[in-house]
Amino acid sequence: MTIYYNSVTQENAKLYYSFETKEDVKISEVGGKARSLIRMTQGGFNVPGGSVLTVKFFEEWLEQITELMTFQSNANNPKAFKEMAVELKEYATALEYSQEQKEVIDEILKDLGMDDRYAVRSSSPEEDLSGASFAGGYETFLGATKDTIYECIKKAFISCMDERVFHYKHQNGFDTSILRIAVIIQKQINSSSSGVGFSLNPLNNCYDEAVINANTGLGESVVSGLVTPDEFIVDKYREEIIEKTLGSKEQAIILSEQEGTKIIAGSQEMYSIDDQKAIRITKLINDIEDYYGFPVDIEWAFSGNELYILQSRPITTYIPLPKEMLTEPGEPKLLYLDGSLTKQGITTPISVMGCDCIDKTQRVMFKNMVGKADVTNAKSGMACTLGGRMYANLSIMIKFQGKEKVIKGARFSDIGSAELIRALDISEYIPKKMPDAMKGTIWGAIKNNIGTVKYIMKAAKDPAQYKAWYQTYEDDFENYLEDIMNKEMKLSDAPTLIFNEFLVLLNKMMAMTFAAEIARNRIEKILKKNFQDHEEKMHLLQRSLPNNITIDMGLMMYDISQFDQVKNLEYHEFEKMLDNHQLEQTLEKKWNEYIKLYGSRTTNELDIATTRPYEDARSIFEQIKRMSFIDQKDSPYEIYNKAKELREKTYVEILEQLGARDRKKLKKHYRNLVALGGKREELKYWYIRSIDAVRQVVMRKSKQLLYEGKINKSEDIFWLKLHEVDEAFHMSKEDVAAIIDEKKPYYRLLAQVNEFPKLIDSRGKILRLPQVEPKEGELVGQPISPGVVVGRVKVLKTPDEKPLLPGEIMVTRATDPGWTPLFINASAILLEVGGLLQHGALVAREYGKPCIAGIDHVMDILKDGQLVEIDGGRGLIKILED
């Protein structure tokens, strides 16, 4: 086969590659789809023969288009994408092939067979990357002939100028002013059956389950969402079918003699493939996943009994787990609770250094509490902080404490998690024996904490006196933090030094929390014995407890918000006046006091990488400023005081209804609860202050590394673990960069996660409540993409039938790539037909929009403007308004 060159702008740049090339071609030349087909051909997979017209092949056309004033003026303006796309496509349609281009195409057709049928597919350099799939945004033409091939190639080329592609690129951070496209010419397989497959289950994230969607004929009916296909869920390692569902398959696409393809009636009564073929596809999926080393989705086809692979892409939307948490297929599995979500409300990934710092502090604290640091081990301990998240090992915790105690503990942080653990049968996750790492921890806990008992008794006996005594330890610790932040030390030593001192304070602090908890439990018993509404009364008795540092922070924010200079100034004005001491004296004093006390408190504050208000106060200033618009009757003080009055009134009413003995007990326990109950928030407060002390050491090290040229910007330091920072001072810039770059791919996967699950097992499976039977006013379909939203319905027969406004719930029969721009405004998507792997499902998951499919007659049942609640994870739709 002849290889053509064009050396105008790039020496030896090739105009096309055969799939059989032995070269390691670049995505920038051939695009992700073609590179994958070439790599699979090189790997010995049964890929239909073909070639790819490279980006270089279309260079002259692209140069002409990008020089157009329409493109240069509007390429980065999303509002102009629609109009620009129309003009560019019109111009591109009139472009003519050069003689050299024609010779290349004719050479490819001779090699493939001049009388064969061809599949023409686009292959963009940005498509099918690990961070973006483009979800069918480019065009594919099936059944092309030698007479139609030129037109199909040009149309595939023109699809890189489609409005939906510009929008997708803009949404995913690609430069929309750069146009690049390659086009594949491939032998067309006359498929008897075809479809798609995932190497993990996209609904529950299970790494051990392959999911296959199938229909008769060509796979376009499945990929485009034209039908609800047959679905097979297969255990990849046992090669057993777990579940299969007969799809309605109303239509099928086959090759046509005259028009390339045509649509015929589907085969609705029988499966499009048998179980043996499903297992063969699963083996192919496994082989391709092993070949690439990451989860993939594929397009496959049977022609008779021969199985072909038509395409393979990285799966871009799944929840990865670090290898330390994974068990091997077939081994006993472990169950993890995402503590960063359920206890801390952290919905985004924690940085590399953030995880390392939390892990180090947990080890110090566990060593102090139970005498062993290795109980933080991912597989054999109770907790770990890895892979951007904090996990509790429920398997070990339940074996150690029992299910009911774990549920009771979970209720304090997240009732939903507690109910989830109670509702699910998790017996398969409980180990038969206690791991060695946990042995001796009960005795260690008794031995290490026996001294705390005397502090608890002291706090319970005279809480006022205890608080005054405790305050001296708090003052000493604050002074210690201010002192140690300026000392020179190895960064890896900082958490140990700081948290060892923190534990001295913690022992005294926890005594107040335990004493308050004992009082709360005793009050609860008294109320339960005497009142039917004991839960409500208990709730009222715990409201507006004094000395709650979080409440105090909110009240101080409100105080600051009431100054006119806060109400009337923009942040940059406020900051300038603060620096020049031009603010009202009382305001300046109050602001500086707030920053000193609470300047380390912020969202995602557990992550050492998070910028603090004392470093950049813009966000906290805006938050405080919004409080200035709160009506006086709704102010934090009013809310606090009303709750306090109700608490005190409830207490008096309860006393009046109790007998003398219970009344005496209640007085004592209520005194302790009021005096000490609010202090429980100080644990988190001083923990964050300690984390921030480490951060200040980190920032000092960051300046040093930046000065020495080891990192490009100060934030790069958070890609390193603590000990790696110490080592970086003795490494080259290139070696430091290599350590950082090694960690970024995993975090790119985390960045694609739109909703972290509460429960996930050591094979990646997400555990959720079982799908519910619909009640009156509810609809149930197949869960496609998780998330809960409430919104108004917009029923659409075509994408341009009527405008879909931001926040509306899109309801339609099915979607193809032409619907992609509508996904931006949609808050959720409901489909009459479709499976887990069709276009609408892929786009919904990638955009993080809840999606449910397979809801018969949903376009007739729901009407424009109806208010509904969508639970994409459970496949449940609640009609809130008729």
Side-chain angles (χ1 to χ4, degrees):
M1 177 182 288
T2 306
I3 301 292
Y4 291 85
Y5 298 93
N6 186 325
S7 56
V8 175
T9 58
Q10 184 177 343
E11 186 178 357
N12 294 339
K14 296 185 178 181
L15 299 186
Y16 79 94
Y17 285 95
S18 165
F19 288 179
E20 296 176 356
T21 181
K22 303 301 181 185
E23 296 182 48
D24 184 16
V25 297
K26 298 177 181 178
I27 286 182
S28 59
E29 288 186 89
V30 300
K33 191 179 299 179
R35 184 170 185 265
S36 177
L37 290 168
I38 290 169
R39 285 193 63 190
M40 286 191 294
T41 303
Q42 292 171 342
F45 293 99
N46 193 18
V47 178
S51 292
V52 54
L53 302 172
T54 65
V55 173
K56 186 68 178 177
F57 179 94
F58 298 102
E59 184 177 59
E60 290 185 15
W61 286 1
L62 290 169
E63 284 178 354
Q64 292 180 51
I65 291 165
T66 53
E67 287 172 2
L68 293 173
M69 185 58 65
T70 297
F71 182 74
Q72 293 191 0
S73 303
N74 300 310
N76 289 305
N77 180 10
K79 293 181 179 178
F81 284 167
K82 184 173 184 178
E83 183 180 346
M84 179 180 70
V86 171
E87 292 189 28
L88 295 184
K89 288 165 127 182
E90 184 178 350
Y91 179 86
T93 302
L95 291 169
E96 294 186 357
Y97 288 94
S98 68
Q99 184 60 35
E100 188 177 29
Q101 287 175 317
K102 291 178 182 177
E103 289 175 2
V104 168
I105 295 170
D106 289 345
E107 185 74 19
I108 291 171
L109 297 189
K110 285 178 186 175
D111 189 60
L112 294 178
M114 291 295 289
D115 295 323
D116 280 356
R117 304 293 286 276
Y118 314 106
V120 178
R121 308 175 190 274
S122 60
S123 181
S124 165
E126 294 116 345
E127 188 179 22
D128 294 344
L129 304 177
S130 59
S133 71
F134 276 72
Y138 296 104
E139 293 289 355
T140 292
F141 299 92
L142 304 177
T145 65
K146 63 183 179 182
D147 297 323
T148 61
I149 192 76
Y150 282 88
E151 180 185 0
C152 290
I153 292 169
K154 185 181 282 190
K155 285 181 177 179
F157 162 78
I158 289 173
S159 70
C160 79
M161 291 162 266
D162 197 281
E163 177 196 0
R164 65 188 178 225
V165 173
F166 285 127
H167 276 295
Y168 184 90
K169 289 170 75 171
H170 178 73
Q171 288 283 321
N172 285 273
F174 292 104
D175 188 346
T176 52
S177 67
I178 297 174
L179 289 182
R180 292 185 296 173
I181 192 75
V183 173
I184 294 164
I185 305 172
Q186 190 176 17
K187 280 189 177 183
Q188 174 69 62
I189 300 303
N190 190 4
S191 311
S192 52
S193 59
S194 53
V196 292
F198 264 46
S199 69
L200 57 75
N201 188 329
L203 182 59
N204 65 13
N205 203 65
C206 183
Y207 306 155
D208 293 337
E209 295 175 3
V211 178
I212 299 164
N213 281 184
N215 192 17
T216 53
L218 306 180
E220 189 67 14
S221 65
V222 178
V223 175
S224 65
L226 187 65
V227 300
T228 301
D230 298 331
E231 182 171 284
F232 296 79
I233 300 176
V234 186
D235 187 306
K236 292 162 57 176
Y237 300 100
R238 288 187 292 190
E239 296 182 355
E240 296 176 358
I241 293 174
I242 300 169
E243 183 182 335
K244 61 181 180 178
T245 306
L246 185 66
S248 54
K249 305 190 304 296
E250 302 93 337
Q251 299 171 328
I253 298 174
I254 62 171
L255 291 178
S256 166
E257 289 294 330
Q258 293 80 25
E259 300 175 0
T261 62
K262 66 178 180 180
I263 296 175
I264 62 171
S267 176
Q268 299 179 316
E269 304 301 321
M270 58 186 295
Y271 285 96
S272 49
I273 57 173
D274 58 28
D275 291 359
Q276 288 73 27
K277 285 186 174 179
I279 298 299
R280 285 179 63 188
I281 296 166
T282 301
K283 289 179 178 178
L284 176 62
I285 290 171
N286 280 345
D287 290 342
I288 294 173
E289 183 179 47
D290 290 343
Y291 180 65
Y292 281 114
F294 49 71
V296 294
D297 74 77
I298 70 166
E299 293 180 27
W300 55 269
F302 272 105
S303 181
N305 199 42
E306 187 167 2
L307 176 60
Y308 292 91
I309 174 68
L310 307 180
Q311 192 174 331
S312 174
R313 298 174 286 258
I315 294 177
T316 59
T317 49
Y318 76 100
I319 297 169
L321 285 178
K323 63 180 183 298
E324 295 92 336
M325 294 173 64
L326 293 173
T327 49
E328 292 297 321
E331 282 186 359
K333 292 181 287 187
L334 298 168
L335 185 61
Y336 300 105
L337 174 72
D338 188 334
S340 40
L341 176 68
T342 58
K343 292 192 74 173
Q344 307 298 337
I346 299 173
T347 58
T348 54
I350 301 169
S351 68
V352 172
M353 185 182 286
C355 287
D356 191 42
C357 188
I358 293 169
D359 178 66
K360 294 288 189 300
T361 62
Q362 285 179 331
R363 287 177 177 275
V364 172
M365 294 172 72
F366 273 112
K367 175 76 172 176
N368 177 268
M369 289 188 290
V370 300
K372 301 180 78 173
D374 56 355
V375 294
T376 60
N377 184 282
K379 292 181 182 176
S380 59
M382 290 193 292
C384 63
T385 304
L386 291 165
R389 310 300 292 164
M390 300 167 63
Y391 291 101
N393 188 329
L394 280 182
S395 299
I396 304 301
M397 289 177 67
I398 291 173
K399 182 69 176 178
F400 185 65
Q401 297 178 275
K403 187 174 180 179
E404 286 305 315
K405 283 189 177 179
V406 169
I407 290 171
K408 186 178 180 181
R411 288 182 66 85
F412 283 104
S413 55
D414 180 49
I415 292 175
S417 298
E419 295 307 312
L420 185 58
I421 297 167
R422 186 184 298 281
L424 297 174
D425 179 7
I426 55 176
S427 55
E428 66 171 308
Y429 295 107
I430 311 305
K432 293 181 179 178
K433 62 178 185 177
M434 191 70 72
D436 291 341
M438 293 297 298
K439 291 176 180 177
T441 51
I442 295 177
W443 168 243
I446 295 170
K447 179 183 174 183
N448 284 28
N449 293 283
I450 194 165
T452 309
V453 175
K454 68 177 182 180
Y455 294 130
I456 297 171
M457 293 171 65
K458 187 176 179 180
K461 184 178 179 180
D462 190 338
Q465 185 183 54
Y466 187 90
K467 285 196 293 183
W469 172 79
Y470 158 80
Q471 188 61 43
T472 60
Y473 286 90
E474 197 170 279
D475 295 340
D476 288 345
F477 184 62
E478 186 164 26
N479 292 332
Y480 172 81
L481 290 181
E482 290 180 4
D483 181 53
I484 197 169
M485 286 184 294
N486 298 312
K487 288 188 175 179
E488 196 58 42
M489 68 186 84
K490 284 185 176 180
L491 184 55
S492 53
D493 291 338
T496 304
L497 290 171
I498 291 170
F499 277 85
N500 275 333
E501 197 67 24
F502 169 68
L503 289 171
V504 176
L505 179 68
L506 180 66
N507 287 336
K508 317 297 185 296
M509 187 194 309
M510 289 299 292
M512 294 186 288
T513 301
F514 281 127
E517 183 62 18
I518 290 168
R520 193 192 69 80
N521 285 333
R522 300 282 168 79
I523 293 171
E524 200 170 41
K525 287 181 180 179
I526 294 169
L527 296 179
K528 194 171 184 179
K529 184 175 78 171
N530 290 281
F531 302 99
Q532 283 190 332
D533 60 346
H534 57 90
E535 289 183 353
E536 182 181 350
K537 283 183 166 56
M538 188 69 238
H539 174 71
L540 294 173
L541 289 182
Q542 296 178 89
R543 298 186 66 182
S544 290
L545 298 176
N547 304 128
N548 185 315
I549 201 162
T550 306
I551 298 296
D552 292 344
M553 181 175 74
L555 294 175
M556 186 177 282
M557 291 172 71
Y558 180 75
D559 288 340
I560 295 171
S561 76
Q562 298 306 295
F563 286 89
D564 288 338
Q565 286 180 314
V566 173
K567 294 178 182 180
N568 300 324
L569 294 175
E570 297 300 318
Y571 175 69
H572 68 277
E573 299 170 318
F574 178 87
E575 185 181 35
K576 185 177 180 180
M577 292 181 71
L578 178 67
D579 291 341
N580 295 323
H581 303 290
Q582 294 173 334
L583 291 177
E584 194 177 323
Q585 190 174 3
T586 310
L587 170 58
E588 184 174 337
K589 182 180 178 182
K590 198 81 171 175
W591 176 266
N592 289 333
E593 182 185 2
Y594 177 88
I595 293 299
K596 180 182 178 182
L597 288 173
Y598 306 114
S600 59
R601 305 303 302 268
T602 184
T603 55
N604 291 343
E605 60 188 4
L606 274 177
D607 190 349
I608 199 170
T610 302
T611 303
R612 310 289 152 162
Y614 66 79
E615 298 168 311
D616 182 357
R618 181 180 298 275
S619 60
I620 198 69
F621 176 82
E622 297 299 338
Q623 199 174 345
I624 288 172
K625 187 171 183 175
R626 285 193 290 272
M627 294 178 78
S628 68
F629 300 106
I630 296 175
D631 194 283
Q632 188 68 34
K633 62 181 174 57
D634 298 320
S635 76
Y637 281 101
E638 284 296 310
I639 294 169
Y640 179 85
N641 290 332
K642 284 179 181 178
K644 178 183 175 183
E645 289 171 10
L646 185 56
R647 166 170 57 80
E648 292 173 344
K649 180 183 175 184
T650 303
Y651 170 63
V652 171
E653 289 174 351
I654 292 171
L655 279 180
E656 291 172 351
Q657 298 176 63
L658 292 178
R661 189 173 179 182
D662 282 342
R663 191 183 306 126
K664 183 179 178 181
K665 289 180 181 179
L666 181 64
K667 284 181 179 180
K668 176 188 173 183
H669 299 314
Y670 178 72
R671 178 203 67 178
N672 288 358
L673 179 64
V674 172
L676 303 173
K679 300 293 281 186
R680 66 179 298 165
E681 289 294 305
E682 293 204 7
L683 169 61
K684 178 78 175 288
Y685 174 80
W686 287 108
Y687 184 86
I688 297 303
R689 289 284 301 269
S690 302
I691 288 280
D692 181 61
V694 181
R695 175 180 168 85
Q696 295 195 42
V697 179
V698 170
M699 298 313 292
R700 192 169 70 247
K701 299 286 185 183
S702 176
K703 288 179 182 177
Q704 294 171 10
L705 286 175
L706 195 61
Y707 177 77
E708 294 183 18
K710 301 298 177 68
I711 55 178
N712 294 321
K713 53 184 184 295
S714 58
E715 294 80 10
D716 286 347
I717 198 169
F718 297 110
W719 285 104
L720 302 172
K721 293 185 176 182
L722 298 166
H723 72 90
E724 290 172 340
V725 173
D726 296 329
E727 294 163 3
F729 285 99
H730 310 288
M731 298 169 65
S732 68
K733 180 179 181 178
E734 292 71 25
D735 288 342
V736 174
I739 293 173
I740 292 172
D741 290 342
E742 185 182 4
K743 294 163 184 170
K744 287 186 175 180
Y746 184 89
Y747 271 78
R748 278 198 289 269
L749 287 173
L750 286 181
Q752 300 289 325
V753 178
N754 295 298
E755 184 177 324
F756 286 98
K758 294 179 178 180
L759 291 183
I760 189 168
D761 75 14
S762 55
R763 294 303 300 158
K765 184 176 180 179
I766 298 168
L767 277 69
R768 299 188 179 97
L769 289 171
Q771 192 169 336
V772 297
E773 289 295 322
K775 302 174 185 175
E776 186 175 349
E778 294 181 348
L779 304 171
V780 170
Q782 182 184 23
I784 294 291
S785 179
V788 179
V789 300
V790 173
R792 303 258 173 208
V793 164
K794 181 65 67 70
V795 181
L796 296 170
K797 295 177 183 175
T798 63
D800 54 358
E801 178 188 2
K802 48 197 168 187
L804 182 74
L805 304 178
E808 289 186 323
I809 292 170
M810 183 170 75
V811 180
T812 189
R813 187 171 187 277
T815 66
D816 62 22
W819 291 77
T820 303
L822 277 71
F823 281 72
I824 297 168
N825 278 351
S827 61
I829 298 93
L830 303 180
L831 305 171
E832 280 196 8
V833 299
L836 283 170
L837 311 180
Q838 58 107 307
H839 168 267
L842 292 172
V843 178
R845 283 195 293 272
E846 195 155 324
Y847 280 178
K849 305 296 178 79
C851 179
I852 304 171
I855 316 155
D856 289 338
H857 309 298
V858 69
M859 294 180 68
D860 299 320
I861 297 169
L862 298 179
K863 309 296 179 188
D864 282 1
Q866 267 185 307
L867 188 69
V868 300
E869 178 182 288
I870 307 300
D871 187 339
R874 301 175 74 190
L876 181 65
I877 305 157
K878 292 182 181 179
I879 300 173
L880 304 179
E881 252 180 35
D882 279 335

